[in-house]
Amino acid sequence: MSLTMLETNSPVDIRATVVQTYRISGDVSIITLECPAIAALAKPGNFINIKVTNATQPLLRRPFSIHNVRGTLIDIMVKSIGAGSTLLCETSVGATVMVLGPLGNSFDQTDDKFHTAVLVSGGIGTAPMLFLEKKLATEGRKVINLIGGRTKDDLLSQNLTNCRFATDDGSSGFKGTVVDLLRSELPDLKNEGSLKVFACGPNPMLKALAHFCHEHQLACEISLESVMGCGIGICYGCSVEIKAQDGGTRTILLCQEGPVIDAKLYIA
Ligand SMILES: Cc1cc2nc3c(=O)[nH]c(=O)nc-3n(C[C@H](O)[C@H](O)[C@H](O)COP(=O)(O)OP(=O)(O)OC[C@H]3O[C@@H](n4cnc5c(N)ncnc54)[C@H](O)[C@@H]3O)c2cc1C
Ligand code: FES
């Protein structure tokens, strides 16, 4: 897989109505937005850029992965970590927000060289996995979720199937990181036929996973994170250094050539 094989979309900017909002844990909410034009174009791995309030501050839009598409509706899973995400989690049903999307590339839709998809996610990185799992299931793939968190309260498995868990403190499931869980499950997973790993989570987790998959010759795509000022290639705030084809390094704008990249390009 090369970066150019990962598809991009022509985004639209619309005023979307919040049609549902509910809290699934202490600091994480699912927000449902009516945005038919974006829902029609969305692919797993895409994100949307939301102006979280009609007031001036915060001025910049905030990026959120598309968690699920239901007809004309888009669900996002939002963790409250600062001003913008907190305002979004507290938005009332009936309010409107400006939404630009779908943005970024998607998990590879053309790769048919695997039987079982292993979705590896950590913390709020589980957000894009429901949409991806649904798409893979419609293609007849077996899907297994490996989900990590610091404690059991950080595990987000809402509506996902075949879940196995890891927590840093051992409060639920395997004690260790989700990459350690993959290491321990790999002999068993290899009985499921050819594997491909799809991942999203904190960048250090993705770096460790990229090394693990390289070592074990597992195909893997990762969805990286960065702070994003504009989401459309103007501010250069989302520069990330990745490996170049010639073995050196090159800088990409994650909002343009990401957020999904081949894990081979994320090995130091
Ligand atoms: C492609 C993409 C998809 C994302 N999808 C989701 C999602 O589905 N659900 C979700 O809850 N969040 C997601 N995020 C992260 C989300 O965009 C940030 O949490 C949000 O922008 C923070 O805004 P804020 O105003 O609440 O916090 P701020 O006040 O802007 O920041 C609070 C603190 O968090 C740090 N921070 C802000 N953004 C990021 C980031 N992207 N990575 C690491 N640290 C950051 C800041 O440096 C600061 O220390 C995604 C980010 C990207 C780039
Ligand atoms: S977020 Fe502005 S260039 Fe990528």
Side-chain angles (χ1 to χ4, degrees):
M1 181 191 64
S2 69
L3 280 176
T4 48
M5 285 171 64
L6 301 170
E7 293 175 55
T8 53
N9 303 295
S10 300
V12 289
D13 195 14
I14 57 166
R15 181 166 288 283
T17 302
V18 176
V19 298
Q20 194 180 16
T21 158
Y22 66 99
R23 200 168 281 259
I24 57 167
S25 75
D27 55 2
V28 178
S29 296
I30 306 279
I31 320 279
T32 305
L33 302 161
E34 170 79 42
C35 21
I38 299 176
L41 296 170
K43 296 192 178 93
N46 289 158
F47 66 96
I48 52 179
N49 235 7
I50 304 183
K51 177 83 173 77
V52 297
T53 167
N54 295 322
T56 334
Q57 295 300 328
L59 184 63
L60 298 176
R61 295 184 186 219
R62 300 294 195 256
F64 295 94
S65 302
I66 296 177
H67 171 61
N68 197 12
V69 173
R70 296 181 286 139
T72 58
L73 304 177
I74 283 186
D75 294 328
I76 52 170
M77 182 191 270
V78 180
K79 179 167 178 148
S80 170
I81 64 157
S85 51
T86 302
L87 274 169
L88 201 51
C89 288
E90 289 169 355
T91 304
S92 310
V93 169
T96 61
V97 285
M98 290 307 294
V99 181
L100 176 67
L103 295 170
N105 61 8
S106 58
F107 289 106
D108 190 359
Q109 308 289 301
T110 60
D111 184 355
D112 58 2
K113 294 187 278 308
F114 66 100
H115 175 264
T116 299
V118 184
L119 311 194
V120 178
S121 58
I124 193 65
T126 307
M129 295 310 181
L130 179 60
F131 190 22
L132 177 61
E133 173 178 319
K134 282 172 50 180
K135 179 79 173 76
L136 289 165
T138 61
E139 292 168 356
R141 318 273 189 195
K142 177 157 187 185
V143 177
I144 294 169
N145 279 282
L146 304 187
I147 299 172
R150 274 171 303 185
T151 73
K152 65 175 169 31
D153 297 333
D154 300 309
L155 297 171
L156 298 165
S157 58
Q158 184 94 351
N159 297 322
L160 295 173
T161 59
N162 277 337
C163 299
R164 303 174 193 179
F165 300 102
T167 48
D168 295 349
D169 67 353
S171 52
S172 180
F174 180 90
K175 184 174 191 304
T177 70
V178 74
V179 181
D180 296 332
L181 174 62
L182 175 60
R183 181 178 291 109
S184 108
E185 297 276 337
L186 193 57
D188 184 34
L189 291 171
K190 280 190 170 158
N191 296 327
E192 303 288 349
S194 53
L195 303 175
K196 179 162 180 179
V197 176
F198 298 85
C200 185
N203 289 354
M205 173 204 125
L206 297 177
K207 178 82 69 179
L209 181 70
H211 280 279
F212 179 84
C213 289
H214 181 61
E215 222 174 276
H216 294 269
Q217 298 182 328
L218 291 170
C220 176
E221 292 177 27
I222 54 179
S223 179
L224 293 174
E225 258 213 24
S226 72
V227 173
M228 287 190 180
C230 70
I232 51 170
I234 295 169
C235 73
Y236 282 62
C238 63
S239 315
V240 174
E241 199 169 87
I242 64 166
K243 211 165 175 177
Q245 301 292 353
D246 64 5
T249 58
R250 73 181 184 100
T251 301
I252 59 165
L253 294 181
L254 205 61
C255 69
Q256 301 295 288
E257 290 193 59
V260 181
I261 65 165
D262 188 326
K264 284 204 278 295
L265 304 175
Y266 203 50
I267 296 169

